[in-house]
């Protein structure tokens, strides 16, 4: 039998102070990852022994024998039924503000302490050493020992979305306290760093998605203007490669290779700033980005991209505010059946419409000249126009669609699935059903006049949402019958 070497586990401890509970989580996590990092480096420098090296994620556990007496309008911060609930935790320093907030609500609403302990879930060595840039995990066969014989490695059988998909079966009667397990979070944090070329630490709570690089230039210009304004509340701007500036006039050196999804962060205290992700084109990219950003528990994400206008009355440059989605993207069919309705969220819709009014200086009936509210269809075929038109056009007409793109319904559906408030404001860049295709000569003038205004509307909407109480933004509309206590 192989001997297992693990760090000494301190006894479980109860807390009625959320800040102290989080401090305990941080200590346990640092002890575990420090232990794994030290022994991994030793194994690489010297030689691995026949001893298995193992450390475990910290855990939050909560037990209540009574139903919570809470404001019925509050959709989070309490458990639905008496029982025991638990969540494994990773990177507690990164999630410090979130954990303090969620644990605090749980203690307050139930009048019961939380227990912080070491879980029985091993930490894969890949995730434990990820914070040390000097350490790399060798590929299978590259080291002088078999990695899996000595250390725990990522296990996809336990890295899944069972909790958020509603298919989770409690183990030993212990329910889920949070929407993601520690392994699932660690996996997504690693993927985010890979796809966006920025550390997850930089991500803000309000995320804008776009499908064109033109928006990035405008976002950088806006960020620089905010950094020049000492009263803006914004503290720094981060570009790909984790290049960070605090001076609006500072240069941003190039980082060479462009990542698959270039991402930029305009930061504020407690992550209340804005992140812009250029997801590129297609529903697969949209799903990939939102799958991983969801573990950061953002307060809202919005799609601000280009679309095909489907009505002859629309003009290039008009805006479309989605109030329904026709899902023909297919990438989420296994996770969220197409018969599940994706509702418009009133708080997001109002913020977007108010932002359009403020930026364009139009309101009421005049606003209808440049903005339509209606169904947005998302399709997985970029060249759908080349197919037999009878089928697609009929479905678009029956759905009352006013716009077509390849990302919006995916982002909205994943927002619904992950309980992240979502919305869509698109800009018409072509009208393929009416002879106005997206051609270079037409597009150049459109881009010059509309990109800056469109992006400013998205930014202004996020600023309006930032000032909204969390209990109003994270409403019951996104919550099912029995939900995790944590957002």
């Amino acid at each position: 039998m192989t001997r297992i070497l693990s760090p000494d586990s301190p006894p479980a401890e109860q807390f009625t102070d959320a800040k102290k509970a989080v401090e305990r989580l941080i200590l346990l996590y640092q002890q575990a990852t420090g232990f794994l990092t030290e022994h991994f480096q030793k194994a690489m420098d010297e030689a691995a022994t026949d001893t298995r090296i193992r450390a475990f994620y910290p855990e939050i556990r909560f037990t209540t024998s009574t139903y919570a007496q809470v404001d019925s309008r509050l959709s989070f911060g309490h458990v639905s039924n008496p029982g025991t609930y638990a969540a494994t935790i990773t990177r507690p320093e990164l999630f410090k503000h979130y954990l303090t907030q969620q644990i605090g609500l749980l203690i307050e609403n139930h009048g019961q302490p939380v227990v912080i302990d070491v879980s029985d879930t091993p930490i894969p060595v890949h995730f434990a050493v990820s914070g040390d840039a000097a350490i790399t995990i060798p590929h299978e066969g590259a080291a002088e020992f078999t990695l899996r014989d000595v250390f725990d490695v990522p296990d996809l059988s336990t890295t899944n979305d069972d909790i958020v998909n509603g298919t989770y079966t409690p183990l030993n009667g212990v329910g889920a306290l949070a929407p993601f397990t520690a392994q699932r979070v660690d996996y997504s944090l690693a993927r985010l760093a890979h796809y966006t070329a920025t550390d997850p630490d930089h991500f803000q709570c309000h995320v804008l998605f776009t499908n064109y690089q033109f928006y990035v230039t405008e976002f950088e210009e806006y960020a620089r203007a905010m950094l020049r304004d000492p009263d803006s509340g914004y503290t720094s701007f981060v570009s790909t490669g984790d290049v960070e500036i605090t001076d609006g006039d500072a240069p941003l050196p190039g980082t060479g290779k462009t990542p698959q999804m270039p991402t930029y962060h305009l930061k504020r205290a407690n992550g209340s700033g804005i992140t812009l992700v250029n997801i590129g084109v297609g529903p697969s990219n949209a799903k990939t980005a939102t799958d991983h950003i969801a573990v950061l528990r953002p307060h809202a994400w919005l799609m601000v991209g280009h679309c095909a206008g489907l009505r002859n009355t629309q003009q290039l440059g008009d805006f479309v505010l989605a109030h329904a989605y026709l899902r023909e993207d297919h990438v989420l069919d296994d996770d969220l059946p197409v018969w599940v309705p994706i509702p418009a969220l009133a708080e997001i819709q109002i913020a977007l419409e108010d932002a359009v009014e403020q930026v364009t200086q139009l309101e009421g009936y005049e606003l209808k000249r440049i903005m339509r509210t209606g169904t947005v269809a998302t399709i997985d075929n970029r060249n759908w126009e080349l197919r037999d038109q009878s089928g697609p056009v009929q479905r678009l007409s029956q759905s009352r669609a006013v716009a077509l793109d390849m990302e919006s319904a995916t982002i909205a559906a994943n927002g619904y699935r992950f309980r992240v408030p979502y919305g869509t404001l698109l800009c018409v860049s072509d009208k393929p059903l009416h002879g106005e295709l997206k051609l270079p000569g037409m597009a150049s003038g459109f881009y010059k006049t509309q990109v800056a205004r469109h992006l400013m509307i998205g930014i202004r909407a996020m600023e309006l949402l930032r000032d909204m109480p969390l209990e109003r933004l994270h409403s019951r509309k996104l919550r099912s019958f029995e939900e995790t206590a944590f957002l």
Side-chain angles (χ1 to χ4, degrees):
M1 184 174 181
T2 303
R3 189 170 73 95
I4 298 177
L5 181 63
S6 297
D8 293 334
S9 296
E13 188 171 349
Q14 291 187 348
F15 292 90
T16 55
D17 184 317
K19 290 184 178 179
K20 291 182 178 179
V22 174
E23 289 173 0
R24 183 67 164 179
L25 288 169
I26 293 172
L27 176 63
L28 293 179
Y29 182 76
Q30 289 176 341
Q31 289 177 343
T33 54
F35 176 86
L36 288 173
T37 300
E38 177 186 349
H39 282 274
F40 176 77
Q41 191 64 67
K42 183 178 180 181
M44 294 300 296
D45 292 342
E46 302 174 8
T49 67
D50 58 358
T51 300
R52 187 166 190 85
I53 308 299
R54 174 172 286 167
F56 303 88
Y57 287 108
E59 175 187 77
I60 305 171
R61 187 170 287 254
F62 178 77
T63 300
T64 180
S65 58
T66 61
Y67 290 89
Q69 297 296 317
V70 298
D71 187 334
S72 63
R73 295 168 295 182
L74 190 64
S75 70
F76 59 94
H78 56 86
V79 295
S80 302
N81 299 296
T84 298
Y85 302 83
T88 50
I89 301 299
T90 188
R91 300 285 298 276
E93 187 72 51
L94 171 62
F95 292 98
K96 186 175 183 179
H97 180 70
Y98 165 80
L99 290 170
T100 302
Q101 178 189 69
Q102 301 301 306
I103 293 173
L105 284 171
L106 192 63
I107 294 171
E108 177 184 348
N109 287 328
H110 288 276
Q112 298 287 334
V114 296
V115 175
I116 305 300
D117 196 5
V118 175
S119 75
D120 58 4
T121 303
I123 303 177
V125 68
H126 299 70
F127 301 144
V129 306
S130 61
D132 191 333
I135 298 178
T136 57
I137 302 291
H139 292 292
E140 186 75 28
E144 295 183 0
F145 62 96
T146 301
L147 188 67
R148 287 178 288 181
D149 287 343
V150 181
F151 297 95
D152 291 287
V153 298
D155 180 4
L156 289 182
S157 68
T158 58
T159 306
N160 53 55
D161 286 328
D162 287 354
I163 299 173
V164 291
N165 284 350
T167 58
Y168 174 74
T169 301
L171 300 176
N172 301 318
V174 179
L177 193 60
F180 298 104
T181 63
Q183 307 98 303
R184 170 67 166 85
V185 173
D186 266 335
Y187 175 74
S188 282
L189 295 181
R191 292 290 82 201
L192 277 179
H194 171 73
Y195 286 121
T196 70
T198 57
D199 193 284
D201 289 56
H202 296 305
F203 273 79
Q204 303 296 287
C205 292
H206 308 90
V207 183
L208 292 173
F209 296 106
T210 188
N211 49 14
Y212 279 96
Q213 185 68 15
F214 296 94
Y215 288 80
V216 172
T217 301
E218 295 297 331
F219 189 61
E220 180 183 334
E221 289 185 9
Y222 176 79
R224 289 183 179 279
M226 292 299 98
L227 294 182
R228 295 186 192 104
D229 180 1
D231 299 321
S232 71
Y234 293 103
T235 57
S236 67
F237 177 69
V238 179
S239 181
T240 55
D242 291 326
V243 178
E244 187 168 6
I245 60 172
T246 57
D247 180 355
D249 296 314
L252 275 173
T255 57
K257 186 178 179 181
T258 301
Q260 184 173 339
M261 299 178 189
T263 300
Y264 309 83
H265 314 274
L266 180 54
K267 299 171 69 172
R268 285 173 63 98
N270 293 326
S272 62
I274 300 172
T275 287
L276 176 71
V277 186
N278 179 7
I279 57 175
V281 176
S284 179
N285 277 5
K287 179 182 183 297
T288 297
T290 49
D291 276 351
H292 299 314
I293 293 173
V295 305
L296 297 172
R297 309 315 294 146
H299 294 320
W301 60 40
L302 305 177
M303 178 64 187
V304 286
H306 293 175
C307 66
L310 300 178
R311 303 302 179 91
N312 196 35
T313 53
Q314 291 171 298
Q315 302 296 321
L316 299 188
D318 283 357
F319 298 116
V320 175
L321 176 60
H323 76 179
Y325 299 91
L326 173 62
R327 295 171 53 198
E328 295 196 344
D329 52 313
H330 301 300
V331 297
L332 281 169
D333 289 359
D334 292 335
D335 294 300
L336 194 70
V338 293
W339 51 259
V340 175
I342 308 300
L345 305 180
E347 295 79 9
I348 303 289
Q349 300 298 97
I350 292 171
L352 280 168
E353 186 163 348
D354 287 349
V356 174
E357 290 183 356
Q358 293 177 24
V359 173
T360 65
Q361 297 296 299
L362 297 173
E363 60 183 25
Y365 193 67
E366 288 298 306
L367 190 61
K368 292 181 179 292
R369 289 184 179 181
I370 65 165
M371 187 176 78
R372 292 286 297 269
T373 301
T375 299
V376 169
T378 292
I379 197 166
D380 58 359
N381 181 3
R382 177 62 186 85
N383 297 313
W384 65 275
E385 305 99 319
L386 305 181
R387 300 285 301 274
D388 174 20
Q389 293 299 297
S390 58
V393 174
Q394 181 181 1
R395 291 196 301 275
L396 292 172
S397 178
Q398 288 175 327
S399 70
R400 309 299 191 266
V402 297
L404 178 79
D405 78 345
M406 297 186 68
E407 300 85 26
S408 293
T410 311
I411 289 171
N414 242 4
Y416 180 90
R417 183 165 75 103
F418 292 128
R419 287 75 162 171
V420 176
Y422 53 85
T424 301
L425 184 74
L426 301 176
C427 201
V428 176
S429 61
D430 60 309
K431 294 168 57 181
L433 299 184
H434 307 284
E436 294 190 68
L437 303 179
K438 190 179 293 183
L439 300 174
M442 298 167 58
S444 59
F446 160 74
Y447 291 141
K448 290 178 182 178
T449 57
Q450 285 301 96
V451 167
R453 186 161 70 161
H454 190 197
L455 180 65
M456 280 307 307
I457 292 169
I459 291 172
R460 182 61 188 136
M462 285 303 199
E463 291 173 340
L464 293 172
L465 293 171
R466 184 180 65 215
D467 296 333
M468 189 177 295
L470 278 188
E471 60 270 19
R472 181 181 168 196
L473 183 56
H474 291 274
S475 68
R476 292 174 296 180
K477 290 186 287 293
L478 291 179
R479 312 288 275 179
S480 61
F481 297 157
E482 293 185 8
E483 283 287 341
T484 60
F486 289 7
L487 279 177

